[in-house]
Structure formats: C-alpha cells, structure tokens
Amino acid sequence: MKKIALYLTLLLAASMTLNAQTSKRLFIGILPDITREIKDNEDKVFSVNVLPLVAQVYLNEYNGIRISPLLNLDSDTKQLSNVGGQLAFPIYFLAKRGALASGVYAAPVVGFSHNRRSGGKELTLAIEPGYSWIFPRGFSMNLGLQLGGTNFSGGSADKGWRNHAGLKFSLGYTF
C-alpha cells in the first residue's frame, strides 16, 4: 500500500511539471460524498465521508488532478469503517474553453483504503461523469456520479469485487 501511494505521488508531481499552463489553478473545497458497495443484494448499507475535503489542481483548460481523503462512517453501525484516499483525473470534454476547465467531464478514479471493521484493504476503480461550474469570483461547484468496482482483499470480509456507486458533490473556491 505504501509503494502504491509513493508511485501515485510521483505521478502527480511528474504530471504537474509536464503541463504547458503558465499559472496553476487550485480548487479547494468540501466533498460530502455518499458511497455504496453492493454484492449479492446485501442490506442497504451506505457510507458517508466525514472528512469531506477536496483539492484539485487544474493542469490546463482540459484536465486536472483531484485528491480527497476518505474517512467513512457506515450507516448501519455508525462506526468508522474506511480510512484512505481517492485520486481522480477529470477530463473536460465539452468544457467551456477559457482559463479554467468547467463544464461536462469524465474522470477515471482510483481509491485506496483500509477497512477498519474487517482489517482488509480496498481498491476502488471507477469512472465519474459529471459537470463543473466555476463562477466569476471563483466560487465553484461539481456534481458527479461514480460507477465502478471495489476489490476487497485480506481481513475477515468476503474477498473479491463488489459494485461501487457514489454521489459526489463539492463546493469550494478556485484560486
């Protein structure tokens, strides 16, 4: 897990140096997301991120890199279940061209977490289509829907892949 985090950090640093934009833009905000991992029609349990922070670096007017920590609280036990983080790479296909990327986007998402309840590790791979608004004074909103899968490994939980769904809504400022 530590090696993967190191590789992702190096990838982030390398991609920030390779872009052609002269001034970097940064979005800082809150991301109170709700996620659900589903396997074999389980109970309707979902998780809420209780550490809803998010930062996104705009590489240019077409894409960026978003990072957010995970500290999930499960709806059934009201206990902290997952500790980790997510990386997303939004690509603005139908963006309103300008100094910043906004409009329709799709983002590949990679998430890593430790499940405190089962003792195992989780790897989430998803795609997040959505829409991003940046208003004239920098106030920004994003709305996205993550769809993909989560691989559970180790610990006492069932191993293997489960469907992943998440609603992502963020508010903040772009500097």
Side-chain angles (χ1 to χ4, degrees):
M1 183 75 145
K2 290 180 184 179
K3 282 185 180 182
I4 293 173
L6 176 64
Y7 292 140
L8 289 174
T9 303
L10 292 173
L11 175 67
L12 173 66
S15 65
M16 289 175 66
T17 61
L18 294 176
N19 71 66
Q21 187 175 357
T22 57
S23 65
K24 309 267 188 305
R25 295 296 197 153
L26 177 66
F27 168 77
I28 301 288
I30 59 171
L31 180 72
D33 60 338
I34 298 172
T35 58
R36 185 161 180 230
E37 314 324 310
I38 306 163
K39 182 176 181 183
D40 300 330
N41 296 321
E42 295 179 8
D43 295 332
K44 295 183 179 175
V45 177
F46 59 90
S47 299
V48 176
N49 189 0
V50 295
L51 185 61
L53 302 175
V54 63
Q56 179 170 314
V57 175
Y58 290 92
L59 300 177
N60 54 40
E61 67 269 15
Y62 304 104
N63 55 32
I65 297 175
R66 182 178 67 220
I67 187 166
S68 58
L70 290 176
L71 188 59
N72 285 349
L73 182 72
D74 279 351
S75 66
D76 62 342
T77 62
K78 307 294 189 259
Q79 294 179 355
L80 293 177
S81 61
N82 292 64
V83 177
Q86 275 191 350
L87 278 176
F89 305 93
I91 301 165
Y92 296 87
F93 293 105
L94 303 173
K96 298 173 187 169
R97 301 295 177 220
L100 296 173
S102 64
V104 176
Y105 72 89
V109 177
V110 177
F112 299 99
S113 64
H114 170 73
N115 190 313
R116 295 176 43 148
R117 290 174 62 187
S118 70
K121 306 272 188 267
E122 298 178 10
L123 166 69
T124 300
L125 301 174
I127 187 76
E128 178 186 324
Y131 196 88
S132 179
W133 296 268
I134 300 176
F135 297 100
R137 294 184 186 239
F139 179 72
S140 306
M141 293 189 310
N142 297 299
L143 179 61
L145 177 65
Q146 279 186 4
L147 301 169
T150 299
N151 186 13
F152 291 78
S153 61
S156 61
D158 291 338
K159 295 180 181 179
W161 286 93
R162 295 183 184 193
N163 293 327
H164 167 86
L167 180 61
K168 305 293 179 172
F169 179 72
S170 63
L171 296 171
Y173 281 91
T174 301
F175 302 96

